[in-house]
Amino acid sequence: FAENGWILAVKGPHAAAYVLQLRISPAAPVPETTVEREAIPFWGILDLKFDRARPVFERVRLLETGDGRISKFSGHGAEISASAHERFRLEEGPALRRYRIVAADKKLTHDLVEMTGYGHLLLAQVCCPRHYDDGLADRIVRELAAAEGDLLVLKLCNRSRAAGVVV
């Protein structure tokens, strides 16, 4: 049944005559019930990496937090975001403002994850002042215990989306 009519399919030479004598009429569509969306203090995502090849306790790593927007690069996460927006509504307040700070600040997020006992999920990280000196590259490699040929991603601590450089 649709707003403009309905389609009936039958099979066999006598089927149409039989169905037409039934005098059936389509039922009106049942209106969708509107559900009150639940108020939540914040909405966000965790960007996780899962590697089945790693030992069990090393398979999941937390890469970063996000503000719940879908990936602008790949579009991934669109279904999750749509589903959350159908069920929840953001309630402005102090918790939402604090969350936005946490989601945007990589150093703060890293420290909070460690403080709450989930440091084992974090990748190795080094935080350096945004000032170049001749020993910076060697210091980063040493603190991360990076081996020859390892790829490193450099990002600003106060940016949550993109802005990374692979070196």
Side-chain angles (χ1 to χ4, degrees), residues 122-141:
L122 297 169
L123 296 172
Q125 219 174 71
V126 174
C127 186
C128 303
R130 200 176 348 172
H131 175 77
Y132 179 80
D133 65 67
D134 291 336
L136 181 62
D138 290 336
R139 196 165 53 254
I140 292 170
V141 168

Side-chain angles (χ1 to χ4, degrees), residues 27-150:
V30 177
E32 291 184 19
T33 57
T34 56
V35 176
E36 175 95 16
R37 294 187 306 160
E38 184 178 345
I40 56 173
F42 61 82
W43 152 250
I45 60 168
L46 296 176
D47 188 0
L48 301 174
K49 175 184 178 186
F50 178 78
D51 186 351
R52 189 181 312 270
R54 306 284 303 168
V56 172
F57 292 110
E58 295 176 17
R59 290 183 181 178
V60 176
R61 290 291 181 249
L62 172 60
L63 301 179
E64 62 189 3
T65 58
D67 58 11
R69 291 181 282 178
I70 61 173
S71 169
K72 289 185 178 182
F73 177 73
S74 68
H76 287 51
E79 300 85 8
I80 297 169
S81 181
S83 175
H85 290 292
E86 284 176 13
R87 296 179 54 206
F88 305 108
R89 65 179 164 76
L90 286 178
E91 190 170 80
E92 287 290 334
L96 182 58
R97 287 189 288 276
R98 279 194 305 270
Y99 168 75
R100 286 182 177 147
I101 292 168
V102 172
D105 189 318
K106 292 186 182 329
K107 175 70 171 125
L108 179 59
T109 299
H110 184 273
D111 293 348
L112 289 172
V113 170
E114 277 190 337
M115 286 173 29
T116 55
Y118 293 97
H120 62 283
L121 297 176
L122 297 169
L123 296 172
Q125 219 174 71
V126 174
C127 186
C128 303
R130 200 176 348 172
H131 175 77
Y132 179 80
D133 65 67
D134 291 336
L136 181 62
D138 290 336
R139 196 165 53 254
I140 292 170
V141 168
R142 184 177 57 255
E143 288 187 37
L144 291 175
E148 184 71 31
D150 283 351

